[in-house]
Amino acid sequence: MDRMASLSREQFATTLRGISLRQIRLASGVVLFAYLVSHFLNHALGNISAEALASGVYWHTLFWQSLPVTVVFYTACLVHTGLGIWAFYERRQFRWKAMEPLQLVLGLSIPAMIITHVIGVRLGHTLYGHEKLYPQVFFAYWIAWPAAKTWMMFAVLLIAWTHGCIGLYFWLRMRAFYRFAAPYLLAAAILIPTVAMLGLYQGGRNVVDSDSVEWREENITPAKNGTQAENVLLNDVENYFLIGYWGLLVLVLLAKGARAIHERRGGMINLSYGNGRTVRVPSRALLHHALQRFLLTDR
């Protein structure tokens, strides 16, 4: 029995050691992409009616705001963002013709672009019980705020979707079924955001057409949208987050610069690949990599 328990512990430890940061980032990204698909399909219901949107968001929130799913979702958000920042720091060279840098830049821009929506809707609900659903959000984007905010919302949707699709492509492209499934996946990748944005547009136009004193008295109330003092606090939280997030990215850039100076002082080596591509790598990093390969081979 003791031997079996020992073997189980060893197998578990071996499994944990075999999990890479890339796999963790992929798993967290799949969770976020599942949320994105669910949200987009909910938006698409706007092509049917406002009632369909309301019904869809009820089931959407019932699932995603349940305690176990909420814990998994926000853990995935933090882990995916943190590993994205780490990947940005770790990467020494960028091949700007490749999709990896595009995916990385898009991913790093998403938190700053969605923070207004997240704080206004989720944090407002958590702190003050605000019920900002589609009517309130549409009113904000189509009536209360400048038109540029509407286009920003569509840009966020496309950026988040493109980032997720690139990640899925890197994950699935080497799978045996990918060649057969690729045309259908491409069709879904184009169709889902298209009908989602059309649904948002139709929902927004419905709110514009319904706008009246009576409609505002029913939908734009302090209980749903918050008081002025509450919104001022939420705006302050948003500003502090943006300052902290952009400051963190600046610190990462400074750290990359300091590392590059340190590595150049230690010497650089031109490393050539068989395809004619040449990259400059630190001599210490190359020596460390060679030592690791030697130790693994010796085992």
Side-chain angles (χ1 to χ4, degrees):
M1 182 67 82
D2 292 339
R3 183 179 180 182
M4 291 179 62
S6 176
L7 287 174
S8 298
R9 286 195 295 269
E10 290 178 2
Q11 290 173 350
F12 180 71
T14 302
T15 302
L16 286 181
R17 286 195 296 268
I19 298 175
S20 65
L21 291 180
R22 187 179 183 89
Q23 290 173 317
I24 297 174
R25 188 178 174 194
L26 172 62
S28 61
V30 168
V31 173
L32 299 182
F33 195 75
Y35 175 84
L36 199 61
V37 171
S38 173
H39 214 35
F40 274 39
L41 294 178
N42 199 163
H43 294 337
L45 295 175
N47 293 297
I48 300 174
S49 67
E51 291 74 18
L53 270 175
S55 177
V57 78
Y58 169 78
W59 293 106
H60 174 82
T61 55
L62 185 67
F63 175 76
W64 287 101
Q65 291 183 17
S66 62
L67 182 59
V69 178
T70 296
V71 171
V72 171
F73 174 71
Y74 283 108
T75 301
C77 288
L78 293 174
V79 169
H80 199 71
T81 302
L83 291 180
I85 294 173
W86 174 253
F88 178 54
Y89 168 77
E90 197 176 39
R91 184 180 287 270
R92 286 176 168 80
Q93 296 189 4
F94 290 96
R95 291 184 298 135
W96 294 107
K97 292 184 179 180
M99 284 194 293
E100 295 96 330
L102 174 63
Q103 185 199 24
L104 186 58
V105 171
L106 292 179
L108 291 176
S109 69
I110 291 171
M113 298 181 75
I114 67 171
I115 191 59
T116 299
H117 181 72
V118 172
I119 288 179
V121 176
R122 291 297 304 127
L123 188 60
H125 175 75
T126 301
L127 294 180
Y128 304 116
H130 297 170
E131 291 295 336
K132 288 185 180 179
L133 300 176
Y134 278 106
Q136 292 73 36
V137 173
F138 286 150
F139 178 85
Y141 279 94
W142 263 264
I143 298 175
W145 292 350
K149 290 287 187 178
T150 304
W151 294 109
M152 176 66 74
M153 178 181 63
F154 287 131
V156 171
L157 295 178
L158 288 176
I159 287 173
W161 186 257
T162 303
H163 172 75
C165 286
I166 293 175
L168 286 180
Y169 167 74
F170 285 133
W171 178 36
L172 298 176
R173 61 179 175 169
M174 303 304 293
R175 308 287 176 174
F177 69 88
Y178 181 75
R179 180 173 296 182
F180 169 79
Y184 303 99
L185 294 175
L186 177 61
I190 295 173
L191 182 62
I192 291 176
T194 301
V195 296
M197 288 189 290
L198 285 174
L200 290 176
Y201 175 78
Q202 295 294 343
R205 293 306 307 170
N206 181 272
V207 167
V208 171
D209 294 339
S210 302
D211 187 27
S212 64
V213 175
E214 294 79 9
W215 187 90
R216 293 194 184 193
E217 289 178 350
E218 180 182 352
N219 293 280
I220 311 303
T221 63
K224 293 183 177 180
N225 271 29
T227 64
Q228 183 177 358
E230 291 169 350
N231 287 318
V232 167
L233 178 60
L234 293 175
N235 287 335
D236 288 342
V237 173
E238 176 188 342
N239 292 332
Y240 291 145
F241 175 87
L242 289 173
I243 292 171
Y245 183 71
W246 290 119
L248 177 61
L249 293 184
V250 170
L251 287 177
V252 172
L253 285 172
L254 292 175
K256 286 170 67 71
R259 182 186 61 193
I261 294 173
H262 176 71
E263 289 175 344
R264 286 193 181 94
R265 288 177 177 174
M268 303 289 288
I269 296 176
N270 290 327
L271 184 62
S272 299
Y273 293 87
N275 58 4
R277 178 176 165 234
T278 302
V279 296
R280 287 177 60 79
V281 297
S283 57
R284 294 178 182 175
L286 188 63
L287 179 62
H288 178 69
H289 177 71
L291 181 60
Q292 283 186 324
R293 292 289 299 273
F294 172 77
L295 292 174
L296 290 173
T297 305
D298 186 56
R299 289 179 184 178

